Amino acid sequence: MARLFSPVANTIARASLVAAVAVPVGAIVMGSVVSRSPANTNVGVAFDQPVPFSHAHHSIELGIDCRYCHTSVTKSSSAGIPSTETCMSCHSQIWTDSPLLEPVRQSWAEGKPIRFASTGEVGWNRVAKVPEFVYFNHSIHIARGIQCNECHGNIQEQHMTAKGKPFFMKWCLDCHRKPEKALYVDEQQPDLTPQEKVFAFYRKIQEGAKLSARELALKKGREYQPTAAELEKGREMVQKMDIKVKTLADCYICHR
Amino acid sequence: MAETLTKPHDEEPLIEGNQTYASLTETVAGVVQRQKDHPKAWFVAFVLGFGLVNVLLLSITYLVYMGIGIWGNNQPVAWSFDIINFVWWIGIGHAGTLISAILLLMRQEWRTSINRFAEAMTIFAVMCAGMYPLLHTGRPWVAYWLLPYPNILAMWPQPRSPLVWDVFAVSTYMTVSILFWYTGLVPDLATLRERVKNRFAKVLAGMGSLGWRGSAKHWMRYEQAYIILAGLSTPLVLSVHTIVSFDFAVSILPGWQATIFPPYFVAGAVYAGFAMVLTFMIPMRRWYRIEHLVTMNHIDWMAKIMLTTGLIVFYGYIVEVFYAWYSANPYEQFMMWNRWHGPYAPAYWLLILCNGVIPQLLWSKKNRRNLKLVFAVSLVVSLGMWLERFIIIPVSLHRDFLPSSWGMYYPTIWDFGMFFGTIGFFVMMMFLFVRFIPMISIFEVRELWSRIRPQRAEVKEVEA
Amino acid sequence: MEETKTQTGLDIEEIRRRLRGERGQRYWRSLEEVAETPEFQQFLEDEFPNRSSLLDLDRRSFLKVMGASLALAGLSGCRFLPKEKIVPYVKAPEEVVPGKPTYYATAMPFAGSSIGLIAKAVMGRPIKLEGNESHPWSLGASDVFSQAAILALYDPDRGTTVKNRGFVATWEEFLAEARKVLPQAKGVRLVVGDVASPTLERQLAEFQAIYPNAKIVRHEPVSRANVREGAKIALGREALPVHDFSKARVVLAVDADFLASMPGSVRYAREFAGTRRVDEENQSLSRLYCVEPAPTPTGILADHRLPIAQADLEGFLQHVAYLAGAASQPGAANLAPESFWNGLAKDLRSAGAQAAVVVGDACTPAAHALAIAIQAKLGSVGSTVRYVAAPAVRSDQRLSALVTDLESGAADAVLFLQANPVYSSGLGERLGKAIGKAKLSACFDLYETETAAACSWYLPAPHFLEDWSDARALDGTVSIVQPLVEPLHDTLSVHSLLPALMNRPSEPLAEVRKTWAVDDKTWRTWLNEGVASVPKAAELPVPATVQAPVGRSRRVDGFEVAIRPDPTVWDGTFANNGWLQELPKPFTKLTWDNAVHLSFSAAESLKVSNGDVVRVTLGERSVEGPAWILPGLAKNTVLLHLGYGRRAGGRVAEGAGFDVYPLTSEDSPWGGVGARVEKTGKRAVLASAQMHFSMEGRDIVRMGTMEEYRRNPSLKPEHAHGEAPRDLTLYSDEEKRREQEGVQQWGMAIDLNLCMGCNACVTACQAENNIPVVGKDQVQRGREMHWIRIDHYYGPRAGDGSGDNPTHVVQPINCMQCENAPCEPVCPVAATVHSHEGLNQMVYNRCVGTRYCSNNCPYKVRRFNYLNYQFAQKNFDRKEDIPLLKLLNNPDVTVRGRGVMEKCTYCVQRINAARIEAKKKGRDIRDGEVVTACQQACPSQAIVFGDVSDPNSRVSQIKRNQRNYALLGELNTRPRTTYLARVTNPNPEIEA
């Protein structure tokens, strides 16, 4: 009787045994990698916008306070997107004929929201976004002295705005479980309230003042591992501000 | 009892007729080889099963598209057919594991001609069962959240929930059952490889038999592997249904919260399992002319086991009643009153009839050897075991603590679509199995024959 | 509101242009088209950034998404982020802070009266109405109608454009035609209801001045004519009683549901509740006698309730008057046992000035006159009741006269101003035909009503939140009705319509201000407070002895029909409101239907059971409807509710229930005697939200009389097991204690002594928490979604034991937020877990939908989205996805999609908002800073919420009351919501 399998069959058989394990595992690992990569999170991916607005230019080079445009960041859950009126308050005087600003002028003239000159799509492409079932509140974070950079990365250095952090639940919890990591006092001006400190930091950057290691990391949007001493200080602040840490990770803090 | 069980062939042989190794192999392997001549019954059954599978697919599609609302479930009865069927199928699977594992360890020779068949049933039953927990969730597309894996949400399954235990119990059960079944299959696939003419079939069998050459080494390895797997699956017989019973036992609902549940569920499972084995075996042995391998003796033994487990289950019902009274807990007492007199009382009394009364017929040997009757009883028991879950799940739920939230449950056509659909799937798979895989373990039969033949030879000599 | 345009980039004009004249199918398609425009997308996304994308998986792309969710990085539980747009303002309005609600005071005109409200708007969208604390007739609370009114604003079935004989037209066309016809019309008729707006009254007068041949026809289906009439008989001038129950020690309510449905009930409930609080110190309860043909929420709280046919009420009052010494001859003494009369008379006389006699609007003028006489005699006028001059309601003609005029041609131009007599009167059919004869007939209303169908013109009216107006309350308190949004549809204010017809176009705001000529400063304060500082209605002097006609009982042969407004859809005005349709009615818990209510013994004698269709014949008219047994009805009284059987007026309204108006007539709008009831052999299916009304002897609602309370303040039945001992556990409480230490602990107490089951909390919760409407079919399957429900039980039977007069008890049930929550350990994915503040958190986005939590919840307060209920008004399975309704959603509460479990969260969104504000100020939440929606709406303040870890918080103080008990406490669930046992105060001299 003719031979049913050639000798290579043995190898194939063994190989397939290995594959049976390796392939699913590989797929799983692959998946996790992709989901954590900018392909999914959009971290550092600058979207195209109606007007190539540069945070670097406005906040650092011109030294405009965040709150000039993001008016409600200290008052409300939403930081607020500047109205055309806000843009025009300067750009009716300067760069009045810059072609880049045409959409702004057009919006102002028509009384219609800003739109892409090319496609006519209305509005800005949203960069930093949490899922709809997550209720993030800017004002309380600012009030506690959490720097914008903690979530928005090196925003002051960005010419095209991009998402600074992945906004994973894990990442939120990391801070909500150990708030001391993010709480600090500016040693050079220790008597500022946490909220004042937040905005003082950006003036420092703008004036090119000397920055502490942590502040430098913040400015660059890098991870910063606080020293034991800093953590201790952080814990004191938690005490002082009476932050009920155990409640910070309750579901209802962010989900309703 | 074990003692007598071990030597059934003292009274009657486990393999009847004047057999040779060749004839044994021929009978079993022949079924697979001679694809041309299959009984009409095969086609009828297959077509029936296939039809119902399409009903199943339709039901599932519509379910996923619309939502659980197409079923009759509601508040307060948030679980019904979905979980009833899950528990029912899981239970049916148990006969296979019991036969292959426990009876093996107990050296019950009569298991040899039914274990392959029963194990196949286990696997298909667990497949049917597995569909329900997944599909009964409101959002099946996130059901994978029940699996523990590191994720960006920093969220894990909630280990205190029996539903999570289920995930592990059932998946383990599935895995071990398949391994066990397949291991036993290897030598027979080799046999097929040698016998089948069709080249394609040959290659398939060849791949399946993993290069089995029947060398002494192979046999040694085989025996080791088989015994280890038997050891592994023995605890599963008890653990799986125990954990399934926890789905109810850990709750605070009258009718669910009962310490009797684990043993009572396991017994019920074996009960239902053997019923299903009989339901299939009785016609099969006839259609495929294997009466000499699956003898009246086998039917008799299985009937006995059914009777035994049936009695345990019936005892469970009695204990439930006793504790309802003994607990002096008004909610428990009402629960029992509601089973007896409530809107679903007929289902309860039918249950008692099916699971408690009718099986008593099996006390008599005459009845145990009356195929029609045993077949009928096995069907009745399957129905009874389904009703038991109906009584436990919706009937306990529909009237609980606050009368204001009492309600009624009425199944919809889609509930039945899912139920009969899975039955169809089961039937279809079973008939595919008997057609393409030796439904009896060839080599085990031969091995058994090798042991019971000489004795019979002696007898002959004495006569002579 | 101009913002609507700029802030959202949504051009309302544009939409209106596109929607103009679109109706039915076409309307939907075009609305979809609009919805597809980027502007509209932004409009939605501003507040709903595809809110539904995750939970409410859009069905069409479902398989796709499913594929994705599995394929892509399956294990991350994360999806590729959808591209999303942010649309900024062009010019930011100062008062709007993005993400923060803004509040405006306004008022809701209703049946000739009004209630002051505070409207909450988010980014220009009104999303919630609450009572206005500074308004005397709200005091911060509200009722079902004002809670549900917001839904009507976004109702997609509202009239969107002017129609001429069903064809799309414009206001210009109508006005042109009207200006042509009116001057040479033989007779002009304006049909209006009891108008609450002084401005409108003024304009009507002006209209008549310009068109002398114009007559005003008043048509209010549920009118207070009898009340005014009664006062006229007794005091010689139309007047309305204004009660003050805070001063009352003994109250006699004669068919008067003054706690729930009578004008002013919101305030009355508060006042009455003040006299019913019991604790160690205060043990003096007021006593409430209720005499009524049909059970009412007021009757639930009665200490003595006597079911009496409405034909006998006059005779009953006559006898009361006789016993009180206000009348010389006795009345129908046979109506009650001797001891009852003696007890009642003694109580009334001893209470004197502190006695109150309330008579319902359905009672005859004579009955009202008698009530005045009795109170005058008792000297309670001035203390528990005042009589104020009724607003001068000019009515030149009755409806019947209008019909004849129309038929004869004496009237050839008729304008219906938010009146719908073709449906809501016994003359409907004739009127419908007669209208056809008129040269000009127009119907101005919110919906395209039956009357609109009969008229040649339909004119869409604006919702009160879109329009400037003013409104008078019961005692003449005036509020300014101010709009929150620019009209969504092509509507015109009535205040502009009339001037336009008088050839002097004008703006509603100008018209309203013309009525109240005050300077801007005063005006602003009026707007802010929601109450205008103008003199209230004049109080009438009442002589010590008032001559009242002798009250007589009419003989009831056969059955008596009592016709009442429906507790949820009233006279039909709210018939297209899904919230109200699905709101379980008191007692029967019926939804989506009205029924022929029969007493226990009547049903027995007729061999009728629930759902049997019966024919009720009164005079020569008859109606058919399904029967429903309502224990507590007077033996031979058949109770029928108005408001159903609508033939037009929206898809929700149409086809629900049966029309009762054929049985009404101008002279007897409240039914009559000599009715016949027979079986038709047909059956109908009714959807009731509760099926079992007996407590099965379980310790569920604790209640007892004053004496029993004094003997056993907990009122715990002997047999009851009571709360499980705290040490009944293998694990120490130490851990739990540490968890809670230093954190505010939320809890709730509900005083069953004050709850009469008015349903305000249920509707408030629905509005606050984006709770969907599921439709009759689903309710019938037991899938209603209300987060708080009012359980109704029959208490121990009183009186003859025939089951015709059981004691009724109600119990609001929301999630108890158990400390040992049975739902938590069984959830396989930790979607429901405990917070450190003691809340039982339900995380929708984590929920897989195994429903185990619901099975294990002994209170069955969890609700499951069996299908995709969101955004559907009635038939969710029609897959109607209605963009307009999305605007109604509360952006602070996740919109739940199908397959997700949900439940009461103690309004955690309000807790969080308060916490964040408090933390910014560096402190904890103060007591009273968080008010749950149900608590805020509750007229009698039966619900109290707060921090139970603070011994001084109000809720802690109340929970210290000995009446406080945990429902099903023996299960050791340790619920955070506890109840205060109900104490009744029956007169010991009356043997029940």
Side-chain angles (χ1 to χ4, degrees), chain C residues 28-42:
Chain C
W28 286 114
R29 229 171 304 121
S30 55
L31 195 45
E32 292 293 346
E33 280 160 22
V34 173
E36 263 125 44
T37 62
E39 298 91 331
F40 203 103
Q41 288 305 333
Q42 305 332 319

Side-chain angles (χ1 to χ4, degrees), chain B residues 61-80 82-83 133-147 149-153 155-164 167 245-253 256 329-332 334-335 337 393 397 399-408 410-412, chain C residues 54-55 57 59-60 62-63 66 69-70 73-79 689-696 698-700 778 781-784 789 791-793 811 813 822 824-831 833 844-852 854-860 862-869 876-877 879 898-901 967-968 970-971 973:
Chain B
T61 315
Y62 190 55
L63 174 74
V64 173
Y65 175 73
M66 276 301 282
I68 303 304
I70 67 169
W71 292 343
N73 303 34
N74 58 23
Q75 313 296 99
V77 186
W79 282 356
S80 190
D82 42 4
I83 304 301
L134 173 66
L135 291 172
H136 100 289
T137 60
R139 299 197 294 160
W141 52 93
V142 290
Y144 66 89
W145 283 346
L146 270 77
L147 303 170
Y149 62 90
N151 58 41
I152 57 173
L153 307 174
M155 286 298 292
W156 296 90
Q158 203 273 95
R160 286 183 302 165
S161 169
L163 297 186
V164 175
V167 173
S245 76
F246 287 164
D247 288 352
F248 310 101
V250 301
S251 81
I252 65 168
L253 193 74
W256 283 19
N329 174 334
Y331 304 112
E332 290 284 339
F334 176 82
M335 177 272 292
W337 180 93
I393 298 165
L397 279 169
R399 289 182 168 183
D400 65 344
F401 296 95
L402 294 184
S404 64
S405 46
W406 290 0
M408 289 295 288
Y410 305 102
T412 67
Chain C
L54 230 173
L55 290 173
L57 262 186
R59 301 160 222 75
R60 275 164 254 96
F62 159 68
L63 286 168
M66 181 167 172
S69 62
L70 298 177
L75 299 192
S76 72
C78 165
R79 284 171 180 73
Q690 186 178 336
M691 296 183 181
H692 201 87
F693 293 88
S694 149
M695 271 189 271
E696 295 293 324
R698 299 177 180 182
D699 175 25
I700 294 171
Q778 292 295 302
R781 294 170 188 269
R783 295 173 183 172
E784 62 274 15
R789 62 173 197 261
D791 284 354
H792 180 278
Y793 298 105
Q811 183 178 38
I813 303 255
E824 288 169 5
V826 298
C827 175
V829 292
V833 293
Y844 311 120
N845 45 298
R846 178 68 178 173
C847 179
V848 175
T850 66
R851 308 187 294 290
Y852 198 170
S854 165
N855 290 342
N856 213 27
C857 172
Y859 308 95
K860 288 287 174 284
R862 290 176 159 265
R863 297 285 179 248
F864 187 69
N865 291 272
Y866 279 95
L867 294 155
N868 203 348
Y869 296 131
F876 68 87
D877 46 4
K879 305 265 172 70
R898 71 122 139 150
V900 174
M901 190 62 71
L967 181 59
L968 298 179
E970 63 266 42
L971 299 178
T973 50

